[in-house]
Structures are given as structure tokens and as C-alpha cells.
Amino acid sequence: MDTTWLEYCATDEQLKAFNDTGYLVVEDAISPEMIDALEKVADRVDAEERAKTGLAPHKLLSKFRTVIEDDILLELLDNKKIFPLLWDILGWNIQLYISHLIMYPPEPPETERVTKAAHWHQDGGRPVPEMERPHPRLSLKVSYWLTDVTHRDNGAMRLIPGSHKLDVLPPRSDPDDDPEGAMDLLVKRGTAVLFDRRMWHSRGWNFSDVTRKVLFMGYSYRWLRGLDYNLMPPEILEKCDPIRRQLLGDGVNIKGWWQPTDADVPLKTWIKEHRGEEYVR
């Protein structure tokens, strides 16, 4: 367990930016060597999934439960530049609830060029219609960008800053355009973007000649069911230290998801020992 985490705890400015806008950009979140290794894993998973499912080469691949595909993905669980931001935003009672690879090849040449984003939505599944409003913050996602998305034609993610506080999509001035306030999220390879799952966002269109590659890791409170696993495969847990095991859903017994003991949440003990009692309310 890495004490260099302490060098990357959230500043007051970062917390305010995340609370106000719903997202936070961290450039150079992973090293060039790790990006190369992750891209190789992504390419392998992409090839295997297309061969298994018969998905056409030009179609978007969406692969869940990605975290088990290679040991290097376990290193993203507690990435030193991102993990401290997660616990400063959500607290210590957290888990990985989803890992999700998207490989978006260029659109075929004959595809009609459009400017409106593909599908505006909030993440969250059934809690979105079933919970009373305004929604509380239940989770956030981290997107790790494995390719440059420095132009909207790269299939840039689009988002509406501050829309995590809105229950409905902002209006459109033109039905053929994006909602008011929409922006392109332009990022360099190796950038991580944290965003509130309540944020209204969408995928753009990839009219470039490069496949857009991005890996999402979602974190939630432990009392929520996971979208990847409720019980992680034992052979994966055996590779992990206590804090990674917590993040992968491990615990002493079922009661610990609602009333955790220190044995259920080693991250709490680590933060208390290294930062102080005031950080583990």
C-alpha cells in the first residue's frame, strides 16, 4: 500500500471544481509505459470479443467486467494519482462497481456526417427513474483515455458542466443540435477524467481514421450492488492486498456492506493512520 497516495489528495480547488462542474481532468494520470501496456490489453480484448461475437470491424465494442482481463488492470484500482481523489470525494466506504472498455473504430466512409451527439444520458440504471429527486451522489466514474481525443471528430465525449445537479436534460435551441451548455471533452492520451454519474453526457462521432480507446472504472458506495460482480472470482482476490480486495467487493460477511467493521474496510484504517481521525467520519 503506497504512501505516495498522500501526495495526490484532493485540493480545495479540485473539490470545488468537481462539486460545481461534475468532472475533473487529470493529465498524465498514467505513465507512457503503462498506457502502452493497457492499449495492448485493450487491443487483445477487442480482437477476442469480435471473434467470439462476430461483431463487425467497424462496430463499437462495449466490454464489461474488464478488470479481470489482465493483472495490469488491477493497478488502476488504486492508481496513485486518482485513488486519493476518489476517497476525498466519496469517502472510504467505496468499491469498484463497474469496469468497462469501449473501442470505437472510425465510422465507415459513407456514414453521413452529423454534429448532434449520439445519445445524451445519465448513468445509473434503475436508480435514475426510481429514486426521488434531486438525486444524491451515489457513484462516480473514471475514464482512462488510451488514445488522443483532441478533436471532436475523434469521437470526443460530450458533457454539460454542472448538469449533475439537473434532473432533466437542458433544452435545445435547435432540435438538430446538442443541448445548451454542451462541450467536447478533448483529452490527450494518458489523461484520466473523473465525472459524477449524474452528469448528462454522450458519445460523439468518430469521423477520424483512428480507433477511440477508453477504459471506464466506476466507484460507488459498498452498500450498492456491483454491475461487474457481487462476488469477485477468488483467484482475482488472491492477487490483491487488503485495500484492493475491499475495492473488489471483499468483506467479512454480508452485514459489513451496511455496517462495516475495520476488517471490512481497510482503507478507513489506512486513511486514519496516515491522515488523521478527521478524515474518517
Side-chain angles (χ1 to χ4, degrees), residues 50-179:
R50 290 182 191 276
K52 185 191 307 181
T53 64
L55 187 69
H58 68 281
K59 292 291 188 180
L60 182 147
L61 174 79
S62 183
K63 165 66 175 173
F64 292 90
R65 294 184 170 186
T66 316
V67 72
I68 68 167
E69 293 293 337
D70 195 278
D71 287 355
I72 194 172
L73 295 168
L74 299 174
E75 296 180 29
L76 290 182
L77 285 170
D78 53 7
N79 174 11
K80 68 180 182 180
K81 292 186 178 181
I82 302 301
F83 190 40
L85 300 175
L86 297 173
W87 81 52
D88 276 338
I89 293 170
L90 290 178
W92 46 263
N93 192 37
I94 56 175
Q95 64 179 358
L96 181 83
Y97 79 95
I98 188 173
S99 55
H100 183 198
L101 174 68
I102 294 181
M103 303 285 279
Y104 180 19
E107 292 290 332
E110 66 273 13
T111 302
E112 180 184 358
R113 292 184 70 89
V114 294
T115 58
K116 185 168 64 175
H119 172 53
W120 285 98
H121 64 284
Q122 293 174 301
D123 289 339
R126 290 306 304 169
V128 174
E130 292 177 354
M131 293 185 68
E132 65 181 4
R133 295 169 183 258
H135 290 167
R137 178 185 291 155
L138 298 177
S139 61
L140 62 84
K141 285 185 176 179
V142 183
S143 57
Y144 287 98
W145 296 86
L146 306 183
T147 51
D148 285 333
V149 182
T150 52
H151 190 279
R152 74 157 28 194
D153 278 357
N154 295 119
M157 181 175 170
R158 298 183 196 175
L159 52 83
I160 304 173
S163 63
H164 60 303
K165 300 178 181 180
L166 303 176
D167 289 326
V168 296
L169 187 65
R172 306 173 193 262
S173 56
D174 184 324
D176 293 325
D177 205 352
D178 289 326

